[in-house]
């Protein structure tokens, strides 16, 4: 198994990313259990609903790939988190621009986005090092 041959730092990076993707899975799964697929509670368009509901299935695939097939896993994870941060970030900015809510209140209300952004920055920051470790198999 490639994962066990990687250096400890890379293993920790992949485990943390795996945990982040599983947290995303749980978040989407809990939403679907409470509101159902394509819920009107999203208060967004159909494409956004489809995107978020699809993450219920894509996030755990990425999580397992990070351990079982790390090279594919880091690519899939990076693509998912970058797309998710861009998508959710645009929605968050639209909320800020379309309401009179103070910026501080807006920032507090969007705490889940900030956590996602920090996770996304971690994934992007470790991407190259993880790829190098996988190529050298250390």
């Amino acid at each position: 198994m490639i994962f066990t041959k990687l250096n400890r730092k890379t293993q920790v990076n992949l485990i943390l990313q795996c945990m982040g993707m599983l947290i995303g899975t749980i978040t989407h799964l809990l939403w679907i259990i409470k509101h159902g697929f394509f819920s009107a509670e999203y208060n967004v368009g159909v494409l956004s609903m489809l995107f978020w509901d699809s993450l219920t299935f894509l996030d755990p695939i990425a999580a397992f790939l990070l351990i079982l097939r790390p090279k594919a896993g880091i690519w899939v994870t990076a693509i998912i988190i970058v797309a998710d941060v861009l998508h959710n970030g645009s929605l968050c900015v639209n909320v800020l621009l379309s309401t009179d809510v103070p910026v501080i209140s807006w920032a507090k209300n969007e705490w889940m986005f900030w956590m996602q952004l920090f996770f996304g920055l971690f994934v992007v920051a470790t991407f190259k090092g993880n790829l190098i470790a996988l190529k050298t198999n250390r």
Side-chain angles (χ1 to χ4, degrees):
M1 180 179 214
I2 293 172
F3 182 84
T4 58
K5 296 178 184 174
L6 296 170
N7 64 52
R8 189 69 64 209
K9 178 182 174 185
T10 304
Q11 288 177 342
V12 169
N13 287 344
L14 296 179
I15 289 169
L16 290 172
Q17 290 180 25
C18 179
M19 290 169 54
M21 297 309 284
L22 292 174
I23 289 169
T25 301
I26 292 166
T27 301
H28 293 287
L29 186 59
L30 290 174
W31 175 273
I32 288 170
I33 289 169
K34 184 174 181 178
H35 302 286
F37 283 101
F38 298 104
S39 169
E41 295 292 321
Y42 277 131
N43 200 26
V44 294
V46 171
L47 291 178
S48 289
M49 286 188 256
L50 177 63
F51 177 67
W52 284 330
D53 285 351
S54 73
L55 293 176
T56 308
F57 307 100
L58 296 175
D59 284 357
I61 290 170
F64 289 112
L65 286 173
L66 284 164
I67 306 305
L68 301 175
R69 300 215 183 252
K71 186 174 181 183
I74 63 172
W75 278 101
V76 171
T77 298
I79 290 167
I80 289 171
I81 196 63
V82 167
D84 206 8
V85 166
L86 290 174
H87 176 266
N88 294 348
S90 69
L91 293 175
C92 288
V93 168
N94 284 339
V95 167
L96 176 64
L97 297 176
S98 66
T99 63
D100 293 335
V101 68
V103 173
I104 298 295
S105 296
W106 169 82
K108 287 179 184 176
N109 290 337
E110 301 298 341
W111 67 270
M112 288 180 74
F113 171 72
W114 297 114
M115 295 299 103
Q116 182 184 63
L117 177 63
F118 293 133
F119 176 67
L121 291 172
F122 170 70
V123 170
V124 170
T126 59
F127 183 83
K128 185 177 179 183
N130 290 342
L131 258 186
I132 290 168
L134 284 163
K135 285 182 181 178
T136 59
N137 209 19
R138 51 179 188 120

